[in-house]
Amino acid sequence: MGGGVAGIHAVTTVPEFRGRGIGTAMTFSPLIYARNKGYEIGVLVSSEMAVGIYRSLGFQEYGKGYIYLWQVSE
């Protein structure tokens, strides 16, 4: 949280526990916390798999972007 925006990052569940509402709960809980602290905007980057979860929580697509990974080669 900062700059008036609450960010959600790196929400994931292991495959055998998907579809049980765990990802939704892990996303919703910090949003409620942020709202109680006065935040009115939440942002995140979603995988294709999680788009439905975030839409069900009220998120709307705002734009599309790219994620880059830098990794040291051995």
Side-chain angles (χ1 to χ4, degrees):
M1 295 187 304
V5 176
I8 302 292
H9 304 279
V11 177
T12 187
T13 55
V14 292
E16 58 267 24
F17 291 100
R18 291 181 183 152
R20 299 182 186 188
I22 297 168
T24 301
M26 289 191 307
T27 304
F28 189 65
S29 179
L31 290 173
I32 294 301
Y33 178 82
R35 184 175 66 186
N36 290 338
K37 293 288 186 181
Y39 287 78
E40 296 180 5
I41 299 172
V43 297
L44 56 79
V45 174
S46 179
S47 67
E48 293 279 332
M49 184 182 347
V51 168
I53 292 170
Y54 299 130
R55 285 188 178 143
S56 75
L57 291 172
F59 283 89
Q60 298 175 10
E61 184 176 307
Y62 185 75
K64 294 189 179 200
Y66 299 93
I67 297 174
Y68 294 90
L69 173 67
W70 180 85
Q71 188 172 344
V72 175
S73 300
E74 293 189 35

